[in-house]
Amino acid sequence: MKVLVVGSGGREHALAWALKRSAHVQEVYVAPGNGGTAETAVNVPIAVDDIPALADYAQQEAFDLVVVGPELPLALGVSDALQARGIRVFGPSAKAARIESSKAFSKDFMRAHGIPTAEYAVFEDYREALRYLETHPAPIVVKASGLAAGKGSIVCQTDEEARAALDLIMRQRAFGDAGDQVVIEECLQGQEVSVLAFADGETVVPMVLVQDHKAAYDGDRGPNTGGMGCYAPAPLLDEEMLQQVIAKVLQPVVTGMAQQGTPYVGVLYAGLMVSGRDFQVLEFNCRFGDPETQVILPLLRTDLVEVLDACIEGRLNQVELQWADQFCVCVVMASGGYPGHYEKGYEIQGLEEVAQLADTVVFHAGTQRKDGRVLTAGGRVLGVTAWADDLPEAIKRAYAAVERIHWPNVMYRRDIGAKGLKLLEEQG
Ligand code: AMP
Ligand code: GLY
């Protein structure tokens, strides 16, 4: 098979890496890719939001399968465009992708299907939203409904912050059209867990659970980021709770979408807030997570192409996912200053040495290859990933690799996985 991956982050490098290991795959292309995929696969300079160019290219090169990483092309209808040309694609249609691309749609869908989620209201009018804040004091969460590159949800600890968030989204239009509608919701407490699942339009099968670390600094302090590292499997839901998540969250989405005539095929990602044995949905994503994918795919023992094929062909119920009985940890190395302003173009040292380490792989995100050197080219630069039989050893291996990699102003969290160690200790 000849496969095209759409995207340019660590998630797409991990997808290209896993696809390359499939017994069914000969060639992997990535559009537009990064400095890491340039080595694993062939990069093609097409932007993820140029849907006509992606469709033309995929048809011209006769790809057997296209795997879409980010939400933007899915929301813009890349799956619909590829399918219209008879190309097999893994990723939901634009209509099904509304579960992520419109938080207003997603919340209304959850309410209609009895999926546990925070109390909320949707507004298109600034003054009405402001009035709602008067009767709903902080802590409260103000969200731009549309896609905002992960920055559109603002958790407000004071009433003043909540008014400022509303002003930012609706009056300053900081996220453009994404702020045409605003969701204001109750602030939930607890620990977050990412539940990713494969879906074929009817059947839904969860992957290993992942805990991401969204705050920029150690101890969950500092601004929210796309994710500074994660580990799997996360001991946040026991088997009984996982069955409840399937019955009350994942299956109702897939069944509800099918009933609406917009079958859900692809990855369904539920971000949950867990408190004791209670859980609520914070958000849905219509795609693989980043960095979650970097710890999921190294643990997947089933051939990835066989799973994706089964989803596309509506026979996921015939596939049994096999997972390594191990832990995997990914530490994101970022440019100093991320998620705010940062410098790019520094040469990354130590990658050859780390490439020799066992059970370790460095997934690239914001990197670029130039004259045989690898340069930093984004906020999140690398996802340094390692696996082992237990979590302490996986953490140790990941950080042993991190310590060998250098560039000026590098920044990373030193406590990725620590929450997992604490949970495992508490559970004995
Ligand atoms: P979202 O864009 O909805 O995924 O939200 C991004 C992040 O904001 C989540 O991962 C949480 O950390 C936080 N968040 C979102 N909604 C809530 C909520 N209702 N209560 C507390 N935190 C939230
Ligand atoms: N790591 C969070 C996300 O992929 O949305």
Side-chain angles (χ1 to χ4, degrees), residues 63-83:
F63 283 100
D64 300 295
L65 172 65
V66 178
V67 184
V68 186
E71 61 278 15
L72 184 58
L74 293 166
L76 293 173
V78 73
S79 289
D80 311 78
L82 289 167
Q83 265 176 12

Side-chain angles (χ1 to χ4, degrees), residues 11 71 100 150 194 212 214 225-227 269 283 285 287-292 380:
R11 164 183 51 210
E71 61 278 15
E100 173 168 5
S194 304
D212 191 6
K214 288 220 168 103
T225 70
Y269 165 153
E283 61 157 348
N285 293 318
R287 50 167 176 84
F288 282 106
D290 190 344
E292 286 88 340
R380 290 192 291 179

Side-chain angles (χ1 to χ4, degrees), residues 287-319:
R287 50 167 176 84
F288 282 106
D290 190 344
E292 286 88 340
T293 306
Q294 288 90 305
V295 294
I296 290 173
L297 294 179
L299 296 176
L300 180 63
R301 286 288 166 270
T302 314
D303 190 309
L304 179 61
V305 168
E306 290 173 16
V307 185
L308 304 185
D309 269 344
C311 290
I312 294 168
E313 290 163 16
R315 47 175 184 76
L316 188 57
N317 61 351
Q318 292 165 23
V319 174

